[in-house]
Amino acid sequence: MAQTKADLFQEDEIMCASYAKALSHPARVAILKVLAQRKSCVCGDIVEELPLAQATVSQHLKELKEVGLIQGTIDGPSVCYCINPEGLQRAQKLLSGLFTAAAKCCG
Amino acid sequence: MAQTKADLFQEDEIMCASYAKALSHPARVAILKVLAQRKSCVCGDIVEELPLAQATVSQHLKELKEVGLIQGTIDGPSVCYCINPEGLQRAQKLLSGLFTAAAKCCG
DNA sequence: ATCGTCTATCGTAGATTTACGATTAAACTA
DNA sequence: TAGTTTAATCGTAAATCTACGATAGACGAT
């Protein structure tokens, strides 16, 4: 059992869930906040800010990158991460759309 | 390993992630949409709308209820589910706060 | 009281996520 | 070139999530 049925839903529901999933761990929320505050977005700085090992942070960064919320550019030996405005906007639009639709229910 | 470190983060990051987690499966997004559209929010109706077994839907409803996004009131033999406006608003506020903060980054 | 309906819960299997040490790969430095 | 730094990836263990059948509990109808 437990073969996933997540793809039996509508496209926008799946996208909405994907973005929400990317934000569903405090570490990833924290990463976005760090990126928002700092000008320099070097990976090492992020690792220092979080109570997690380097490998774990790298994994979280990968998830955020895969869904398109952040992007990383190689800067010499290190990698500079940055929020991806387009992805962020798309996520915001989808989620706030859900919220405003839902708010209409139940008077 | 893999003992959770999710509680080493800030309160608002944890809350933000909790709401996002509740929305991180297409079925739960779909449930919110059904509740938004229908006036009658009987559990059985929701089960019919989704390509999932009754037990699975009940589980998803439980998760949405536990995080405070929906509420259920017993109506005779059945249960009437409804969106919880306060929880929804709180989720919206936290997540849109994150989005607007993040949007400031990177010019 | 018994039966049928409706929903929650239990038990469980399989998949995915989380976390980290160890290793690898790339690039700079001496 | 050899050594150092930086970040991604591999391998893996534990935890959590997803999904469903079976069962239980509550309620209304007969």
Side-chain angles (χ1 to χ4, degrees):
Chain A
M1 251 125 270
Q3 60 146 341
T4 186
K5 300 220 163 174
D7 44 349
L8 295 182
F9 293 85
Q10 291 179 13
E11 188 58 29
D12 67 315
E13 291 163 356
I14 295 171
M15 284 310 302
C16 209
S18 297
Y19 285 122
K21 189 177 201 168
L23 301 176
S24 72
H25 192 287
R28 294 194 286 271
V29 174
I31 288 172
L32 286 184
K33 281 176 67 182
V34 170
L35 290 184
Q37 287 165 4
R38 290 203 176 218
K39 310 143 231 312
S40 97
C41 325
V42 178
C43 177
D45 297 342
I46 301 171
V47 173
E48 277 181 10
E49 296 262 0
L50 302 188
L52 297 172
Q54 181 265 322
T56 308
V57 172
S58 190
Q59 212 170 243
H60 284 304
L61 285 168
K62 188 182 180 188
E63 280 178 78
L64 285 170
K65 196 163 56 177
E66 277 176 350
V67 81
L69 283 174
I70 67 173
Q71 58 200 142
T73 57
I74 295 171
D75 175 24
S78 50
V79 176
C80 179
Y81 279 101
C82 198
I83 285 168
N84 178 3
E86 286 129 49
L88 191 79
Q89 211 164 36
R90 197 153 137 64
Q92 186 169 23
K93 186 173 280 182
L94 272 173
L95 285 170
S96 72
L98 176 65
F99 281 129
T100 51
K104 285 177 196 153
C105 171
C106 303
Chain B
M1 250 125 271
Q3 60 146 339
T4 186
K5 300 217 163 175
D7 44 348
L8 295 182
F9 293 85
Q10 291 178 13
E11 188 59 29
D12 66 315
E13 291 164 356
I14 295 171
M15 283 310 301
C16 210
S18 297
Y19 284 123
K21 189 176 202 170
L23 301 176
S24 72
H25 192 287
R28 294 195 286 271
V29 174
I31 287 172
L32 286 185
K33 281 176 64 181
V34 170
L35 290 183
Q37 287 166 2
R38 290 205 176 216
K39 311 142 230 315
S40 99
C41 325
V42 177
C43 176
D45 296 343
I46 301 171
V47 173
E48 276 181 10
E49 296 263 359
L50 303 189
L52 297 173
Q54 180 265 323
T56 307
V57 172
S58 190
Q59 214 170 238
H60 284 303
L61 286 168
K62 188 181 179 186
E63 280 178 78
L64 286 171
K65 196 163 58 178
E66 276 175 351
V67 82
L69 284 174
I70 66 172
Q71 59 199 143
T73 56
I74 296 172
D75 175 23
S78 49
V79 176
C80 180
Y81 279 101
C82 199
I83 284 168
N84 178 2
E86 286 130 49
L88 190 79
Q89 211 163 36
R90 196 154 138 62
Q92 186 169 23
K93 186 173 280 182
L94 273 172
L95 286 170
S96 72
L98 176 66
F99 282 128
T100 53
K104 285 177 199 152
C105 171
C106 303

